[in-house]
Amino acid sequence: MLTALEQGVKGGRWFSLIDKVWKLENLRAAWTRVRANAGSSGVDGQTIADYARQLEQELTCLQAHLRRDRYVPQPVRRVWLPKPGRPEKRPLGVPTVRDRVVQTALRQVLEPIFEQTFAEHSYGFRPGRGCKDALRVVDRWLQEGYTWVVDADLQGYFDSIPHDRLMARVAERVADGRLLALVRGYLTARVMDGLAQWTPEAGTPQGAVISPLLANIYLNPLDHLLAGQGIRMVRYADDFVILCRSRADAEQALSVVQSWVQAEALCLHPEKTRIVDATQPGGFDFLGYHFERARKWPRRKSEQKLRDTVRSLTPRCNGHSLATIIARLNPVLRGWFGYFKHSCRTTFPSLDGWVRRRLRAILCKRHRLPAWHMGESHRRWPNAYFAAHGLFSLAAAHREACLLLRLQEPH
C-alpha cells in the first residue's frame, strides 16, 4: 500500500481496502489511539476500561463481524456542550467504544490515500500539522502586505454536509463497495438524544473519529479552486480566512467562495462572514487569536475560558492549602501560555495580577480580613510571596520565551 501511495494506483482509485480495515494489527493500533483519547461511553454504556478488560475477545469478534459483513454501527449518543459566552450549545455525537475503534481503523486506511490530494493551505486534523502552523502562515502573509481579510464562517458545516455528494467525493478515490458502505453507515447511524431518536439526512457527527477526515474531503475542491486562482487561504477544518492585498481582491475572493458554497449545498453565516482591513481597529479572530494592526492577542472568548477555569479552582471558601491550589492552577496556566505565548507582551501582566488577586481573596477569607482591603492584602502577600510558592507567571514565561528567541536568532 505504501508503494502504491508513492507510485499511484491504476485509474487513481483503490479497489480493495476493507481487508486492511479489519486486519487485526490495524484494529489493535486503532484501539491504542482510542484508549489514549479516552472519552465517555456511548449508548451501550461500555467504557474504555470495560473494553480493555476483554480486549482480545472484543477485537477478534470485531474482526469477524467486519469480515462477514455483519458489523453495523450502533446509534450515536447526542450530548450538548456549552459555547463560551453564548447561550446556544454545540451538538456532539459520542459513538460507542467499539465504533470508535472501527472508525479509527477506517481512518488509518483512508487518511494516507486522501492526504496525497489535500491542498497545502489545509491544516486542520492532518498528520504533522496543527493550529500553530496555520497561525504562522497568517502572520507571514499579513507581514507581506496581505492585510485585507475575508473572515468566513460556514454555518453549521458539520451538520449540513450532503451525504450523497460527500460519498461521491470519497468514491473518487475509493471503489471498494464494502468500505463505502461502512462510511455511509456512520453517516446514517441513528442519533439518540435522551428519549428522542432520529436518522440524520445530512452531516457528519461532531465527535465521530472519521468526521474531521470526511469534512476535509468535502472542502478539498474549494481549497484547490482558490489555490488555482492564486487566492491565499488558510483553512483549519471549517474555519478559514482569505488574505488579499486590496479590498477589490477580497471581494472577488468572497464571490468565488459564495458561488462554490451555494453550489455545494452549504451556507456562509450572513453575520459572521465579513471583509476586514487588518491594519485598522476591529481586526479578525482566527484559531483563538485576535489579529489587529500588526499585533495579536487571545480573542475575548479564549481569555474568558481561562478566567472561568481559574475561577472554578479558586473559590474564596477553598478548603485546600495554598500549595495544593497553586499545584492545580499551574498546569492550566502553563497549557494556556503554551498556545498563546505569541501574543503581544501586554497580554500577560494583567492576567497574572488577576490570578494573584484571586489567591489573595482566599487568604483574606482565611485570615478574616475584609475582601475590599486589597492594599493590606498586597502588602501582606506581595507578588514575590506567590512566586516563592511556585505560582506560574505568564509575564515571566513570556520574557523568558522572548529572550530564548533572541538568543536563537542568527547574528
Side-chain angles (χ1 to χ4, degrees):
M1 185 173 179
L2 289 172
T3 303
L5 286 169
E6 294 172 358
Q7 299 178 1
V9 292
K10 187 175 181 180
R13 300 178 76 202
W14 295 75
F15 286 85
S16 181
L17 290 173
I18 193 66
D19 60 313
K20 297 169 180 62
V21 174
W22 52 250
K23 194 175 179 64
L24 203 53
E25 290 83 353
N26 188 35
L27 292 174
R28 285 200 183 98
W31 156 249
T32 300
R33 295 177 73 170
V34 169
R35 181 179 57 186
N37 290 333
S40 58
S41 59
V43 294
D44 61 355
Q46 186 181 43
T47 65
I48 293 286
D50 295 335
Y51 200 90
R53 275 192 286 271
Q54 43 190 356
L55 178 61
E56 287 306 312
Q57 179 183 342
E58 291 280 6
L59 294 182
T60 302
C61 181
L62 202 53
Q63 182 189 46
H65 284 176
L66 286 165
R67 291 182 72 166
R68 298 170 187 168
D69 281 341
R70 291 172 53 195
Y71 170 82
V72 179
Q74 293 175 280
V76 174
R77 181 169 65 88
R78 170 63 57 88
V79 297
W80 295 89
L81 301 181
K83 292 185 177 181
R86 294 165 65 181
E88 62 263 32
K89 295 184 177 181
R90 183 189 306 279
L92 187 71
V94 182
T96 62
V97 176
R98 183 193 73 156
D99 287 342
R100 297 208 293 271
V101 171
V102 179
Q103 285 190 35
T104 304
L106 178 61
R107 179 174 177 170
Q108 288 173 167
V109 171
L110 288 179
E111 191 170 64
I113 294 171
F114 285 95
E115 267 296 312
Q116 308 294 311
T117 73
F118 288 157
E120 178 62 28
H121 57 250
S122 167
Y123 292 90
F125 306 105
R126 295 183 58 189
R129 290 168 169 249
C131 291
K132 290 188 177 181
D133 299 304
L135 291 166
R136 274 191 285 269
V137 175
V138 171
D139 257 340
R140 186 174 73 246
W141 285 352
L142 286 172
Q143 292 168 13
E144 292 176 3
Y146 293 85
T147 55
W148 282 94
V149 179
V150 179
D151 184 9
D153 183 272
L154 287 168
Q155 191 169 18
Y157 173 61
F158 280 87
D159 293 328
S160 57
I161 303 174
H163 287 171
D164 289 342
R165 297 189 187 199
L166 174 58
M167 290 304 304
R169 295 265 201 280
V170 178
E172 289 173 3
R173 301 283 291 174
V174 175
D176 188 323
R178 293 173 66 186
L179 187 141
L180 292 174
L182 188 58
V183 174
R184 186 175 284 276
Y186 287 124
L187 295 176
T188 58
R190 293 185 64 77
V191 178
M192 296 183 63
D193 188 355
L195 297 177
Q197 293 189 43
W198 69 92
T199 300
E201 297 179 356
T204 178
Q206 297 187 62
V209 178
I210 197 69
S211 289
L213 175 61
L214 297 177
N216 276 335
I217 290 171
Y218 197 70
L219 287 180
N220 193 41
L222 175 63
D223 296 341
H224 288 287
L225 172 65
L226 296 180
Q229 296 187 19
I231 298 173
R232 300 192 175 208
M233 177 173 78
V234 179
R235 182 173 69 80
Y236 193 96
D238 59 331
D239 193 4
F240 64 91
V241 290
I242 298 171
L243 295 94
C244 306
R245 287 195 178 274
S246 68
R247 184 176 188 89
D249 289 346
E251 290 173 347
Q252 173 60 27
L254 179 56
S255 177
V256 172
V257 172
Q258 286 173 327
S259 297
W260 187 90
V261 165
Q262 185 175 5
E264 296 298 331
L266 300 175
C267 180
L268 288 175
H269 198 295
E271 297 175 3
K272 297 180 181 179
T273 300
R274 61 202 181 105
I275 295 175
V276 299
D277 182 356
T279 65
Q280 300 300 313
F284 66 98
D285 295 339
F286 186 59
L287 298 182
Y289 275 91
H290 179 78
F291 293 81
E292 183 177 327
R293 291 178 288 185
R295 302 167 70 203
K296 65 178 181 290
W297 57 85
R299 70 172 185 163
R300 188 176 303 171
K301 290 180 182 178
S302 301
E303 184 173 321
Q304 188 60 47
K305 187 175 180 181
L306 172 67
R307 288 178 181 267
D308 289 343
T309 305
V310 171
R311 282 193 186 95
S312 70
L313 295 173
T314 56
R316 287 187 65 203
C317 296
N318 199 311
H320 298 288
S321 68
L322 182 64
T324 299
I325 297 171
I326 289 176
R328 293 178 176 178
L329 275 176
N330 280 349
V332 173
L333 297 172
R334 284 195 182 95
W336 192 85
F337 177 78
Y339 188 78
F340 290 105
K341 64 183 176 181
H342 303 290
S343 302
C344 58
R345 62 184 177 83
T346 56
T347 300
F348 306 107
S350 61
L351 282 171
D352 275 340
W354 178 78
V355 172
R356 288 190 293 264
R357 285 195 297 275
R358 298 284 304 178
L359 296 176
R360 287 190 183 103
I362 295 172
L363 296 174
C364 282
K365 178 76 173 177
R366 292 178 181 177
H367 290 80
R368 301 176 185 239
L369 291 175
W372 51 264
H373 209 330
M374 295 307 293
E376 172 62 24
S377 68
H378 196 284
R379 286 189 292 274
R380 192 163 182 174
W381 300 292
N383 296 353
Y385 175 84
F386 297 105
H389 279 74
L391 178 65
F392 181 82
S393 168
L394 299 167
H398 184 253
R399 287 193 296 270
E400 291 177 11
C402 290
L403 178 60
L404 181 62
L405 189 61
R406 285 195 293 270
L407 292 174
Q408 291 174 344
E409 290 177 353
H411 296 286

